[in-house]
Amino acid sequence: MKITDHIKQANGKTLFSFEIIPPKKGKNIQELYNNIDPLMEFNPPFVDVTTSREEYIYIEKQGLLDRKITRMRPGTVGICAAIKHKYDVDTVPHVLCGGFTKEETEYLLVDCHYLGINNVMALRGDAMKEQKYFEARKGGHQFAIDLVSQIKNLNCGKYLHDVMEVDDKADFCIGVAGYPEKHIEAPSLQSDLKRLKEKVEAGADYVVTQMFFDNKKYFEFVDLAKQIGIDVPIIPGIKPIAVKRHLQLLPQVFKIDLPEDLIHAVEKCKDNRQVRQVGVEWTTKQAKELQKAGVPVLHFYSMGKSDNIKAIASKLF
Ligand SMILES: Cc1cc2nc3c(=O)[nH]c(=O)nc-3n(C[C@H](O)[C@H](O)[C@H](O)COP(=O)(O)OP(=O)(O)OC[C@H]3O[C@@H](n4cnc5c(N)ncnc54)[C@H](O)[C@@H]3O)c2cc1C
């Protein structure tokens, strides 16, 4: 079922969902299941599975460093299929521009269609560590909007190159990213919102936001989006702080602000067990307010162990 239909069917009730990251290659999928199992009691209608960009690794060979390119966490579509069938929930693979040609994206979407996966998040991806700016792969897309258009074309039976009769059209529901504190590369929040509107006009059906720790940022973002005519559901993405290092890491990686009260509370903690508790309390407060405001879904970034998400969800769902 499409995410937008899940939202319609919920009839104003806030739904619970979460995002997971594929294990590093060589690791067993069981660990992922162990983290998902405790969350299933909250009936998530869908689970997102991220896609990681390829990266360079350096292998020493006879005193010289040989540079190879590799994906450390492959398997997004396979994991989506595994979770879908094990738990009977919809799964949402994240599809990236970065590192993929348009043809590879088409094959990935064909796989999804065969597997009955009919929701996808269309994302650009970040620049690789070695790059200052994002660079599309030769024959790949530059912006998420181009990916949205490719998926939309496929929904109309239009493949990239083939001229053929299509009797089994795909029907993907498309999610895109939104940034309550603006995307790092955008010159202003207003111009970033205009780009978001373009993605919606190109065919995006819903938006999931970058994490935020101050609900005011989300509410203002939704108001501004509505004012410029973005009328699709905007799903808040939230994450509990779990370790002290997040105070530096989250602003650096996701270009977001942390509220002073949260910083103080985390700084006062003696160890990461206490930080995890502060994270649970803060996110529970955020989630309760968002739920009260009638957000369509509370989407949790889980990243590993799920005990904190369970503690929050058990107070809300
Ligand atoms: C909910 C969510 C899930 C994510 N999941 C993943 C994941 O699984 N894997 C991963 O690698 N990353 C993921 N990301 C991170 C995302 O890939 C990065 O934030 C990336 O830098 C931007 O992606 P985007 O889809 O928002 O890009 P875009 O929408 O393409 O925007 C990128 C930048 O370009 C600007 N822009 C857009 N269109 C144009 C145009 N036509 N001309 C000029 N400027 C333009 C925008 O304002 C923005 O600054 C996720 C982010 C979110 C919020």
Side-chain angles (χ1 to χ4, degrees):
M1 198 160 133
K2 293 181 174 184
I3 306 305
T4 44
D5 290 334
H6 281 297
I7 292 172
K8 269 185 221 139
Q9 197 174 288
N11 222 353
K13 192 176 142 233
T14 300
L15 300 168
F16 165 76
S17 75
F18 59 93
E19 173 187 291
I20 52 156
I21 301 171
K24 282 200 176 143
K25 59 185 169 190
K27 298 279 175 203
N28 196 294
I29 196 169
Q30 188 55 46
E31 200 182 319
L32 200 62
Y33 292 152
N34 293 346
N35 284 318
I36 295 174
D37 285 345
L39 301 179
M40 294 321 288
E41 69 175 273
F42 307 110
N43 297 318
F46 64 94
V47 175
D48 275 48
V49 183
T50 63
T51 292
S52 300
R53 279 213 62 171
E54 74 283 29
E55 53 193 274
Y56 288 116
I57 52 162
Y58 297 87
I59 299 167
E60 202 186 323
K61 241 189 198 171
Q62 294 159 346
L64 294 172
L65 285 180
D66 194 11
R67 192 168 83 162
K68 298 277 181 208
I69 200 155
T70 187
R71 259 172 222 285
M72 299 307 278
R73 295 175 187 270
T76 299
V77 172
I79 291 169
C80 280
I83 294 174
K84 181 177 166 64
H85 294 289
K86 182 171 164 63
Y87 298 101
D88 194 20
V89 289
D90 281 308
T91 45
V92 187
H94 290 193
V95 182
L96 297 186
C97 302
F100 292 89
T101 64
K102 293 172 199 168
E103 285 76 9
E104 285 165 345
T105 298
E106 184 170 279
Y107 307 146
L108 184 151
L109 292 166
V110 169
D111 282 346
C112 289
H113 181 50
Y114 288 151
L115 289 162
I117 295 166
N118 60 352
N119 296 285
V120 288
M121 271 294 282
L123 300 146
R124 190 196 69 178
D126 286 320
M128 290 173 77
K129 275 191 207 111
E130 290 77 2
Q131 295 169 337
K132 202 156 182 204
Y133 303 104
F134 174 85
E135 278 175 35
R137 171 128 167 239
K138 194 163 177 277
H141 293 300
Q142 181 65 33
F143 293 111
I145 189 175
D146 307 319
L147 198 51
V148 172
S149 301
Q150 181 179 359
I151 302 166
K152 213 60 200 167
N153 279 340
L154 213 62
N155 282 354
C156 300
K158 273 196 242 161
Y159 287 74
L160 285 172
H161 311 302
D162 309 319
V163 182
M164 56 189 177
E165 219 162 276
V166 174
D167 58 9
D168 180 26
K169 277 187 208 157
D171 187 15
F172 288 107
C173 174
I174 308 168
V176 290
Y179 302 84
E181 298 176 61
K182 98 169 180 65
H183 184 256
I184 170 89
E185 295 160 35
S188 71
L189 183 58
Q190 279 299 342
S191 74
D192 204 24
L193 273 159
K194 275 191 209 144
R195 297 300 185 191
L196 180 61
K197 190 173 180 216
E198 286 166 9
K199 289 195 278 193
V200 172
E201 284 167 350
D205 299 290
Y206 69 100
V207 176
V208 182
T209 74
Q210 183 57 278
M211 66 183 74
F212 55 88
F213 291 86
D214 178 354
N215 287 349
K216 205 165 144 247
K217 303 251 166 83
Y218 168 81
F219 293 131
E220 283 171 3
F221 178 71
V222 171
D223 282 348
L224 289 171
K226 279 192 185 141
Q227 276 169 32
I228 62 164
I230 296 175
D231 57 1
V232 297
I234 301 182
I235 297 173
I238 50 175
K239 173 187 162 57
I241 277 203
V243 290
K244 223 169 209 176
R245 215 161 65 88
H246 278 159
L247 287 188
Q248 287 77 43
L249 209 64
L250 298 179
Q252 190 190 336
V253 175
F254 300 106
K255 320 299 173 214
I256 49 163
D257 271 353
L258 298 177
E260 284 304 313
D261 289 354
L262 177 60
I263 298 170
H264 285 315
V266 172
E267 278 173 345
K268 274 201 295 193
C269 293
K270 291 198 184 79
D271 54 32
N272 279 335
R273 199 184 48 79
Q274 288 185 3
V275 175
R276 215 167 166 81
Q277 187 52 32
V278 166
V280 166
E281 283 163 19
W282 188 274
T283 310
T284 303
K285 218 167 101 193
Q286 261 193 291
K288 279 185 176 165
E289 192 185 21
L290 290 163
Q291 192 184 39
K292 208 167 153 211
V295 299
V297 183
L298 280 170
H299 186 68
F300 289 87
Y301 295 109
S302 84
M303 297 178 190
K305 290 208 168 21
S306 59
D307 59 304
N308 51 358
I309 311 285
K310 184 180 161 91
I312 299 161
S314 60
K315 299 209 172 72
L316 289 131
F317 297 98

